[in-house]
Amino acid sequence: MTSFRSAGEMGMPRRNRALLGTVVALAFSLLGGAALAAAGPKSTTLSAEDKVCLECHAKPGLEKTLGNGEKLSLMIGAKGFAQSVHNSSGCEGCHSDIDAATHQKTPKDIATRRAFSLELMETCRDCHKKTVKQYEDSVHSALVRDGSEKAPLCSDCHNPHATQSAKDKPAGNAEPVACQKCHEGVTKAFAESVHGNTGDEALACKDCHQTHSVKAASFGNQMKAQCLSCHKDVATTHAAWLPNTERHLEAISCPACHSPGTTRRVNLTFYEGTTPEKVGVPKFVKLANWTDAKGSGLDARALWTLLQDFNNNGSEGKSVLRGRLEVQTGVQAHQLAQKALALKDCNTCHREGAASFQSVTVSMAGPDGRPLRRDASKGVLTSIESIGSVGGFYAIGSTRIKLLDTLLLMALGAGIFIPLAHLTVKLVSRRARPHGEAAAPEAGRPTPPAAGEGPGDSTDTH
Ligand code: HEC
Ligand code: HEC
Ligand code: HEC
Ligand code: HEC
Ligand code: HEC
Ligand code: HEC
Ligand code: HEC
Ligand code: HEC
Ligand code: HEC
């Protein structure tokens, strides 16, 4: 790309640049080399070819009716294009299939504007390989491949006919409203947060999400690395007052303590070993519908059944459930405030009936990396029946706490163990043991791993 870069983009004042452009364009036309312009420095004068196109296309009112009845304006601003970075490549750079003389007589069928944008997006690849590759790695692109009509294409953020260089803009943002357009609530929350309300110093969305390779964010702890890249000493500073720091930072998302007034939930996620399980998605949907036919939320038994099923098929003993205490909405994730407002009170979580543990969801990574979620009944955290899969209880001092063993591994063996274990669990639960007491190992069956001793616990806890 550097070969395209003009002196102007390297910091020459605008007026000189325009002047240079004119001189260069003049030189080119003297050489009869309009075609050369494609490889030459940036010009703000239109090439002869482009002028031909704009003879018709700069006129207001030219439009075309698309397959869905939508009217597409065919007007392209001549001045905007002349000043854009793409003036150097010309209309031809992206519309090489168009013959100026004939195309208006043989109308091309275009179903929708979106379909047209999607088709033409392919041309960006010719000159912006790296950016296209980053984009294709994003959740947005995955959504598009999945048929989303709403996820952004290149031209939702860049007007191909008027793109200016980001370097020309003071804030360095080609299109500052690029994310806001579709994520309004989050953008507003962010603007008022500790990262967003500091004027020129404020972070931008891309500081945590990237611009083109935006990844799914609301799943597991993947955003934590971003936070730690700037706040390097978090583990040390928190250890000054928070025992078991590592475990807390693993099991609680940063916004869950740093967004004041937030509502929290426990999210249980299926993992295959240490990576979020994806293979089971269709099965998850099917089984979840089946086990939760009433729609009242997955209960402990349903979870048990799901885990059993995952572990029965090939990936024996590898499917685990991990828990995380997190905020309930994307907006809340962006309401981070100064440290004085952060949650420090142990009692907020470590007491019976703590509000944070009253809402439970179960999720699995969807095909685009975003989670598929189902509600679970809050009873799964304390149900004796689910001890083998997600339950676990801790006592600190004299306070009885009922906490999910968020990191407990479910390593179910195949074969005879499963029917036996299931039966035993039923028996155990019928015995109406008081909640909050760990089940003693039953005779005649292998014990489901308890906190800290499961075979996979080491991979999970650290
Ligand atoms: C003589 C006038 C004229 C000229 C010159 C002209 N166009 Fe068009 N163009 C049209 C009309 C009219 C349509 C709408 C055709 C229709 O209704 O299907 C159109 C449609 C288009 C479309 C929409 C897609 C399509 O094929 O329908 C594109 C893109 C386009 N022109 C690009 C160009 C480019 C690039 C050039 C120069 C190489 C150019 N045009 C030159 C009149 C013109
Ligand atoms: C950098 C690539 C690029 C260049 C250069 C370019 N176009 Fe386009 N053009 C597109 C894309 C992409 C679309 C599809 C619409 C969208 O996604 O906004 C489009 C759409 C159009 C349309 C349909 C109306 C519309 O806005 O969707 C016309 C007409 C058109 N271009 C004409 C031109 C003319 C005339 C030129 C030269 C003056 C030109 N284009 C230069 C990429 C380009
Ligand atoms: C024929 C080559 C060509 C094609 C095709 C092309 N571009 Fe460009 N583009 C350029 C050149 C040359 C520049 C200016 C040099 C640079 O900054 O990389 C540029 C710059 C840009 C910039 C601004 C970069 C900056 O400096 O901030 C954006 C955004 C952009 N193009 C988007 C697109 C999109 C979207 C498409 C597809 C619709 C597209 N381009 C297709 C050649 C092309
Ligand atoms: C969600 C909005 C969004 C989408 C979608 C998007 N861009 Fe960008 N792009 C931006 C912003 C904002 C910038 C300004 C620089 C920055 O903030 O990283 C930018 C910068 C660029 C640049 C300048 C160099 C660079 O990589 O920073 C190019 C080239 C570019 N985009 C091309 C594309 C192409 C090609 C596509 C489609 C494959 C695309 N963009 C999709 C928002 C977007
Ligand atoms: C044209 C609309 C559009 C634009 C522009 C856009 N997005 Fe998105 N984005 C979506 C849609 C649709 C989804 C999927 C539904 C959802 O999660 O909101 C999505 C999903 C996401 C996700 C994943 C959400 C999750 O659940 O993990 C993130 C992160 C994201 N966008 C960030 C950004 C950032 C950062 C920008 C600006 C660089 C941006 N988006 C620009 C439409 C857009
Ligand atoms: C300081 C880092 C940071 C910045 C800056 C940031 N985000 Fe986020 N974003 C996060 C975190 C962390 C999450 C996920 C929280 C979780 O679920 O653990 C997230 C989640 C999201 C999601 C998914 C929300 C959902 O519905 O679950 C979207 C969309 C999003 N961000 C968009 C944006 C946009 C747009 C901007 C700019 C206005 C932005 N983010 C700025 C950290 C950031
Ligand atoms: C259990 C709740 C809790 C969790 C989880 C938590 N924090 Fe904190 N954090 C606090 C409290 C309380 C303070 C204020 C401590 C003080 O000043 O006494 C704080 C202070 C901070 C500070 C201020 C400077 C410093 O280091 O003391 C930063 C930055 C910070 N946290 C970032 C993070 C990040 C990043 C994460 C996620 C990896 C995180 N926190 C997770 C409660 C939490
Ligand atoms: C690009 C760097 C960057 C990233 C990424 C980032 N922060 Fe920050 N953060 C800052 C800056 C700069 C400040 C304001 C100066 C300061 O107090 O350290 C700040 C302030 C904070 C504060 C307030 C600290 C105080 O002293 O009151 C908290 C809490 C915080 N960030 C948490 C997070 C969390 C959680 C994430 C991840 C979702 C995150 N940050 C990601 C740069 C970053
Ligand atoms: C935001 C909720 C929250 C806050 C605030 C909180 N904790 Fe925790 N704590 C948890 C969660 C969740 C776990 C992880 C349980 C697990 O891993 O199974 C945990 C684990 C622990 C453990 C480890 C138990 C074990 O068996 O390893 C101790 C000890 C503990 N917390 C003490 C404290 C103390 C002391 C404070 C106050 C300084 C505190 N916690 C603040 C939620 C919280």
Side-chain angles (χ1 to χ4, degrees):
M1 234 53 254
T2 13
S3 60
F4 289 108
R5 218 156 266 153
S6 74
E9 281 162 334
M10 291 170 159
M12 191 180 285
R14 226 169 220 297
R15 197 147 49 89
N16 292 0
R17 210 186 308 157
L19 195 68
L20 178 74
T22 319
V23 173
V24 169
L26 195 70
F28 273 134
S29 59
L30 282 178
L31 288 165
L36 276 178
K42 187 167 118 185
S43 155
T44 51
T45 313
L46 294 163
S47 71
E49 277 93 341
D50 292 355
K51 277 186 181 148
V52 172
C53 308
L54 289 168
E55 199 111 314
C56 296
H57 283 290
K59 287 209 187 85
L62 189 63
E63 60 180 27
K64 172 174 176 133
T65 307
L66 306 184
N68 64 347
E70 203 181 347
K71 292 248 193 292
L72 175 67
S73 163
L74 299 178
M75 194 190 125
I76 308 298
K79 201 165 155 230
F81 187 75
Q83 289 170 353
S84 83
V85 287
H86 290 129
N87 189 17
S88 63
S89 51
C91 312
E92 164 84 9
C94 298
H95 296 289
S96 56
D97 59 326
I98 294 234
D99 180 337
T102 58
H103 75 288
Q104 66 278 22
K105 292 172 206 138
T106 49
K108 176 186 160 90
D109 283 333
I110 300 174
T112 63
R113 196 199 152 97
R114 175 87 175 177
F116 191 45
S117 297
L118 201 54
E119 179 191 327
L120 272 160
M121 188 160 82
E122 270 307 305
T123 63
C124 312
R125 193 189 303 275
D126 293 346
C127 305
H128 301 294
K129 270 201 186 62
K130 207 180 99 207
T131 312
V132 171
K133 213 162 163 285
Q134 288 171 343
Y135 170 79
E136 285 179 337
D137 213 21
S138 74
V139 61
H140 288 144
S141 175
L143 286 159
V144 169
R145 285 195 296 274
D146 241 30
S148 164
E149 293 282 320
K150 289 187 182 143
L153 309 175
C154 311
S155 57
D156 282 310
C157 296
H158 302 290
N159 178 347
H161 304 118
T163 309
Q164 305 267 334
S165 170
K167 291 168 220 82
D168 292 346
K169 301 280 171 85
N173 241 3
E175 329 281 340
V177 293
C179 317
Q180 179 170 18
K181 188 159 76 174
C182 303
H183 299 292
E184 214 186 333
V186 163
T187 308
K188 212 165 142 248
F190 177 71
E192 288 159 11
S193 76
V194 70
H195 291 125
N197 67 6
T198 45
D200 285 351
E201 309 266 284
L203 304 195
C205 312
K206 68 174 171 188
D207 287 321
C208 292
H209 293 293
Q210 309 299 330
T211 301
H212 296 109
S213 51
V214 177
K215 292 288 192 312
S218 55
F219 193 75
N221 261 339
Q222 34 206 0
M223 294 302 295
K224 201 169 98 182
Q226 304 296 327
C227 311
L228 296 181
S229 71
C230 292
H231 300 291
K232 293 193 168 64
D233 49 358
V234 157
T236 337
T237 56
H238 288 65
W241 57 275
L242 188 63
N244 286 288
T245 316
E246 202 183 322
R247 193 152 196 184
H248 277 109
L249 295 183
E250 202 57 49
I252 308 170
S253 83
C254 315
C257 285
H258 282 286
S259 295
T262 197
T263 52
R264 302 176 192 88
R265 70 169 170 226
V266 173
N267 182 43
L268 304 173
T269 302
F270 285 97
Y271 273 73
E272 203 184 342
T274 50
T275 45
E277 170 137 35
K278 280 190 183 178
V279 285
V281 169
K283 198 193 280 171
F284 176 64
V285 174
K286 211 177 102 215
L287 278 175
N289 287 343
W290 176 67
T291 49
D292 183 24
K294 281 178 292 188
S296 53
L298 294 164
D299 61 13
R301 185 167 310 203
L303 276 188
W304 177 271
T305 312
L306 277 170
L307 266 177
Q308 252 183 298
D309 213 285
F310 287 136
N311 282 304
N312 245 350
N313 278 357
S315 59
E316 189 180 307
K318 276 197 296 187
S319 275
V320 301
L321 268 174
R322 286 208 213 176
R324 186 178 74 141
L325 192 62
E326 58 189 29
V327 296
Q328 292 200 353
T329 68
V331 165
Q332 290 175 347
H334 295 86
Q335 290 169 330
L336 304 173
Q338 66 210 66
K339 65 179 176 189
L341 297 172
L343 174 59
K344 203 171 188 177
D345 179 12
C346 320
N347 231 3
T348 309
C349 300
H350 291 286
R351 77 183 147 77
E352 202 167 332
S356 302
F357 299 90
Q358 302 308 307
S359 165
V360 184
T361 56
V362 177
S363 66
M364 174 166 276
D368 54 31
R370 291 183 309 141
L372 300 163
R373 267 189 231 288
R374 297 289 298 226
D375 286 335
S377 54
K378 67 179 183 193
V380 299
L381 301 185
T382 45
S383 165
I384 230 161
E385 203 174 355
S386 67
I387 279 172
S389 54
V390 298
F393 305 98
Y394 299 105
I396 299 170
S398 59
T399 324
R400 188 103 220 146
I401 48 162
K402 293 184 171 186
L403 274 185
L404 155 73
D405 175 11
T406 49
L407 307 168
L408 184 64
L409 181 78
M410 181 63 182
L412 282 173
I416 189 160
F417 166 58
I418 281 153
L420 247 184
H422 203 171
L423 191 74
T424 322
V425 166
K426 268 191 210 156
L427 286 176
V428 171
S429 60
R430 231 178 266 151
R431 241 181 262 161
R433 202 183 281 256
H435 281 190
E437 218 166 274
E442 298 293 324
R445 68 160 175 136
T447 322
E453 57 186 32
D457 214 57
S458 51
T459 48
D460 267 351
T461 324
H462 306 290

